[in-house]
Amino acid sequence: MQQGQVSVWVPIVVGVIGLVGVIAGQLVNAWREDRRWTREQEREEIRWNRQRKSEEDARSHSSLIDFRDRRIGLYVEYLQVFQEIREVAFELLFCKDVDEYNKFRDIWFGKFEELTAVRLRLSLVASGQVVKGIGQGDTLVIPPARLYVLSDGPTPGELLQDGQEKVGTTFAALQAHFRAVLNLMRVELGAQELIEDQASEESRT
């Protein structure tokens, strides 16, 4: 090789180095792009998970509110029908004859059927404690027997007196059961403090 003459390998080596540099640069850029894409995917997944959780929490909260509203609605319906049975029982205590007694007794029977239907629906949403408490009054809400005047049986007056004495005992039990169930329902709905205040007030009076 003559002095001052560049070896033929020099441009080849320089070209190879340049090509390696270009390839390495592309690989680095590709790696950086992959990392950026991975970070974006992770951020997007986190955002989506947060959004999904927020939506699930909102649906769960809405379901809880709807469930509570349904429960309250059935509690109110049960107490209303139960109150109507108490009112019918009160009327029975002051009937003047057997026919009037039987009329209110039949009204009681209709209310008993209403209460039974409400109780079945209520058993699906009420707590076990409330269901148990309501069940303790099942025998109380059963209407009394109709009075039948027979030629060889008690007189109408005796029948009426006997029937009213039995209803009188039931009426007192209905009063106590109504208060007990009402308190159970209110405790379940978070009104314990109100019940305690009311109990304190009643004890003072």
Side-chain angles (χ1 to χ4, degrees):
M1 177 184 299
Q2 296 180 357
Q3 188 176 2
Q5 185 177 1
V6 178
S7 173
V8 68
W9 291 104
V10 172
I12 295 176
V13 171
V14 170
V16 169
I17 293 174
L19 179 62
V20 170
V22 170
I23 294 174
Q26 290 179 343
L27 291 175
V28 169
N29 289 336
W31 176 74
R32 289 176 177 174
E33 183 65 21
D34 287 342
R35 287 193 61 189
R36 184 184 66 81
W37 184 83
T38 301
R39 287 195 299 269
E40 289 180 354
Q41 286 293 105
E42 290 174 350
R43 286 195 296 266
E44 181 64 21
E45 185 175 356
I46 292 173
R47 185 192 65 80
W48 185 81
N49 287 335
R50 287 176 179 174
Q51 181 178 352
R52 183 180 62 179
K53 186 177 184 304
S54 177
E55 292 174 352
E56 289 176 351
D57 290 344
R59 285 194 298 269
S60 177
H61 182 66
S62 178
S63 297
L64 287 175
I65 292 177
D66 182 64
F67 183 79
R68 178 183 171 87
D69 289 344
R70 289 176 182 273
R71 174 180 287 179
I72 292 175
L74 285 173
Y75 283 0
V76 170
E77 188 176 354
Y78 177 88
L79 293 173
Q80 285 177 339
V81 180
F82 194 95
Q83 172 68 13
E84 290 169 358
I85 288 178
R86 287 199 307 164
E87 293 172 355
V88 173
F90 182 79
E91 292 293 338
L92 282 171
L93 296 175
F94 297 95
C95 290
K96 296 179 174 58
D97 55 52
V98 171
D99 290 339
E100 185 180 11
Y101 181 96
N102 285 336
K103 182 187 73 173
F104 280 105
R105 181 270 171 197
D106 292 342
I107 294 175
W108 185 333
F109 183 79
K111 295 299 177 183
F112 169 72
E113 291 183 326
E114 288 183 34
L115 193 71
T116 301
V118 176
R119 191 190 185 295
L120 288 174
R121 287 184 283 130
L122 192 147
S123 64
L124 297 175
V125 299
S127 68
Q129 188 175 7
V130 170
V131 172
K132 181 179 178 181
I134 289 174
Q136 292 174 351
D138 284 348
T139 57
L140 298 176
V141 296
I142 297 175
R146 287 176 59 86
L147 301 181
Y148 294 97
V149 180
L150 303 175
S151 59
D152 58 345
T155 65
E158 291 172 339
L159 281 173
L160 184 61
Q161 181 180 359
D162 182 64
Q164 288 177 331
E165 287 177 355
K166 293 177 180 177
V167 171
T169 302
T170 301
F171 180 76
L174 286 172
Q175 294 280 78
H177 180 70
F178 181 86
R179 288 193 295 270
V181 170
L182 177 61
N183 278 347
L184 283 175
M185 292 177 175
R186 291 169 63 177
V187 167
E188 183 179 282
L189 297 173
Q192 175 68 49
E193 184 177 352
L194 178 61
I195 295 172
E196 291 175 350
D197 291 345
Q198 180 178 334
S200 300
E201 183 178 346
E202 289 176 352
S203 63
R204 289 196 299 269
T205 57

